[in-house]
Amino acid sequence: MSIETQLREALTARADDVAPTVEDPWSRVDGAIRTSARRRRAAYAGVTAAVVAVAVLVPGLVGGGHRATTPATHTAPVVPGPQDPRWRALSTWPTRGWLSGDAAFLRAVEQRTGAHVLYAGDVGERRVVVTWNEQDTGSGLGTTYLLSGPRDSAVDRLAQVAEAPPSAATVVTVLAGQSTGATLLALATPGHGSMEVSPTVRIEPDATVTRSWSTARLDRDGTAKVSLPTVAPYATRVRLAGSDGAPTLVDPGEPQAADPASSICVNCPVAELRTKAPRAISRTIGLSLGLDPARITTREVYAGPVDLGVAAAAGLTDARSRGFDVLLYVATSELPGGGVLRTALLVSTAKDGSSAQTTELESGVPVDAATADRRPVVISGPDLKGSDTMIEVFAPGSARVALVSDAPTIFPGTAPKAVADGSASFRVSGTGGTDHLRVATYDAIGRETGRWPLRSPNADDPYDVRP
């Protein structure tokens, strides 16, 4: 092997460990965030449902210089150019990462997982292995898996921490977190010079959501490591190779010890759930988005029973047959600066205490702070025969509610109905016209106090801000 070839391989191996950095905007924006009037899927500790919330802390990337690295002990193979046919499918992507030259390590991973290794190396303080398997979950692209453990871990110390279909056949992104921040690993086909990264969002009190983007360089082999200021897996977005979305795989790092006082159960008395839920939601936001839970104020807005017919239509099909109690729990979380997020959970508990199920209706959805307490929550779905739509409107601050239509001749609305015990139920003919319906709320003397969508338009992805 010539000196030139050895030098090329050594430089390739070393370059893989160097993380590009971008300007640290903390000092420039922190004051503005604190003084402005200002907003997303994490899991409850001890809860079967994920309650995802978002907050604004640092709308940019952290620099910090290049980290000193230890020379690779294994010579990484030279990655082929962008026109190589192996880049046409994830199943044939060459393995990258400084461990890609460690045949014994890769063989151990493949024997354990039966999957093709896309990347193997250390990312920040975590050892990260990304694999691909042809098993399809509906995307047509197979499934990627993330194995992770402390830096320098052997294969038997790695745990599978995430799996997801890639958003595109040309890019896989991984967010690996530590207590002091996170590192974004990008794997793309070679030939892409840069990518854009937004580590979080900004939410104003009027629910306006904005992002700041920074550009980071990709190496010639199509990889990049970018240091982020906080572990914000559900707020981070990446634009790369035509893909625009959240990281494909997320490793939040070593889990922190759960605080029993800030965890809730769903298979427990309602009074206990209601007592623990606000603190648990604040804690979830803090742990997941890098915020201090003490700076997040979460309080209950509503908690009450749900019509079992509507609950069945919404997906709890055994709510009647097995004797379930169904509770709607709604809370708002005020963020530093005034932004407000709303969480709505449908909690179904067997009366005999044998099981429980939780369904997310809204997970940390930004809402206007001025109307957060009186904004209705709607549960809907086709009836058991699939011919009509069952709708229950929860509006405890209103006297009456109605369904109004923007196309009344085709999809008629309803007459106002009194709110009893916090809600009113409706049956609407057909199942295809709910997109044309809105909820109108009225006060005690019949004045209309607002019109609201049946479902928050950004409920599926509160952090997704398109250009």
Side-chain angles (χ1 to χ4, degrees):
M1 181 182 295
S2 68
I3 292 295
E4 180 182 353
T5 300
Q6 294 181 53
L7 180 60
R8 182 186 301 112
E9 293 180 349
L11 290 174
T12 300
R14 286 294 297 272
D16 185 62
D17 265 357
V18 178
T21 59
V22 291
E23 181 184 1
D24 177 5
W26 171 266
S27 59
R28 176 173 55 85
V29 302
D30 185 52
I33 290 174
R34 292 177 181 275
T35 57
S36 67
R38 38 173 253 144
R39 154 193 148 169
R40 155 183 160 152
R41 270 178 236 120
Y44 276 132
V47 187
T48 57
V51 181
V52 181
V54 66
V56 175
L57 194 55
V58 187
L61 305 183
V62 163
H66 294 299
R67 175 178 58 82
T69 59
T70 302
T73 57
H74 307 284
T75 301
V78 177
V79 175
Q83 303 306 316
D84 191 284
R86 285 173 286 181
W87 296 114
R88 294 175 184 171
L90 288 162
S91 59
T92 56
W93 270 17
T95 303
R96 285 172 285 183
W98 75 272
L99 285 170
S100 60
D102 189 336
F105 184 90
L106 299 184
R107 184 163 54 250
V109 173
E110 291 171 351
Q111 289 175 347
R112 174 182 168 183
T113 65
H116 174 56
V117 181
L118 303 180
Y119 181 92
D122 290 330
V123 177
E125 298 306 314
R126 308 291 292 165
R127 172 143 293 182
V128 167
V129 175
V130 182
T131 66
W132 177 91
N133 191 289
E134 63 183 354
Q135 175 184 348
D136 186 24
T137 57
S139 68
L141 297 173
T143 303
T144 52
Y145 300 86
L146 175 59
L147 280 69
S148 176
R151 189 179 180 88
D152 299 325
S153 293
V155 174
D156 59 4
R157 292 190 61 200
L158 300 177
Q160 181 180 309
V161 296
E163 63 179 84
S167 58
T170 55
V171 58
V172 174
T173 49
V174 178
L175 190 65
Q178 301 91 44
S179 59
T180 56
T183 301
L184 177 71
L185 168 68
L187 306 174
T189 53
H192 300 283
S194 64
M195 65 179 177
E196 291 182 286
V197 181
S198 176
T200 189
V201 292
R202 180 183 179 113
I203 305 170
E204 303 291 350
D206 65 357
T208 300
V209 182
T210 57
R211 283 188 174 276
S212 295
W213 295 85
S214 297
T215 300
R217 180 183 61 84
L218 269 72
D219 291 333
R220 293 182 62 184
D221 67 352
T223 67
K225 295 178 185 176
V226 180
S227 296
L228 303 183
T230 58
V231 184
Y234 302 99
T236 302
R237 292 294 180 269
V238 183
R239 294 174 181 167
L240 171 60
S243 175
D244 182 353
T248 309
L249 301 165
V250 173
D251 172 20
E254 296 298 331
Q256 298 187 26
D259 175 8
S262 62
S263 301
I264 65 173
C265 67
V266 293
N267 199 9
C268 61
V270 171
E272 182 180 349
L273 184 149
R274 294 175 63 179
T275 298
K276 292 184 175 181
R279 186 174 178 183
I281 293 173
S282 292
R283 179 179 179 273
T284 296
I285 296 172
L287 292 179
S288 302
L289 281 303
L291 300 171
D292 181 359
R295 300 183 64 205
I296 303 166
T297 303
T298 299
R299 62 185 185 84
E300 178 184 304
V301 173
Y302 178 80
V306 178
D307 181 280
L308 294 184
V310 177
L316 299 176
T317 55
D318 57 358
R320 283 175 171 167
S321 61
R322 294 180 56 189
F324 276 67
D325 288 323
V326 183
L327 172 80
L328 174 66
Y329 181 86
V330 182
T332 57
S333 300
E334 183 176 351
L335 310 176
V340 174
L341 309 177
R342 189 170 74 173
T343 297
L345 299 176
L346 198 60
V347 183
S348 174
T349 306
K351 292 181 179 179
D352 62 6
S354 60
S355 62
Q357 176 180 347
T358 301
T359 302
E360 295 176 1
L361 300 179
E362 296 181 1
S363 297
V365 175
V367 294
D368 191 332
T371 59
D373 288 350
R374 59 186 178 88
R375 186 184 185 93
V377 175
V378 178
I379 300 175
S380 66
D383 65 7
L384 298 183
K385 295 181 179 179
S387 56
D388 293 336
T389 299
M390 304 287 289
I391 299 174
E392 187 168 9
V393 178
F394 296 84
S398 300
R400 299 170 72 82
V401 296
L403 301 179
V404 295
S405 174
D406 59 9
T409 58
I410 304 175
F411 305 104
T414 69
K417 198 178 247 190
V419 174
D421 297 326
S423 72
S425 297
F426 300 88
R427 178 183 288 269
V428 177
S429 178
T431 58
T434 55
D435 289 344
H436 296 272
L437 297 177
R438 293 171 66 83
V439 175
T441 55
Y442 304 89
D443 63 17
I445 61 174
R447 293 177 303 188
E448 184 174 317
T449 56
R451 293 200 176 192
W452 321 86
L454 261 67
R455 188 167 185 269
S456 298
N458 57 345
D460 289 334
D461 190 349
Y463 321 118
D464 193 20
V465 182
R466 298 294 177 178

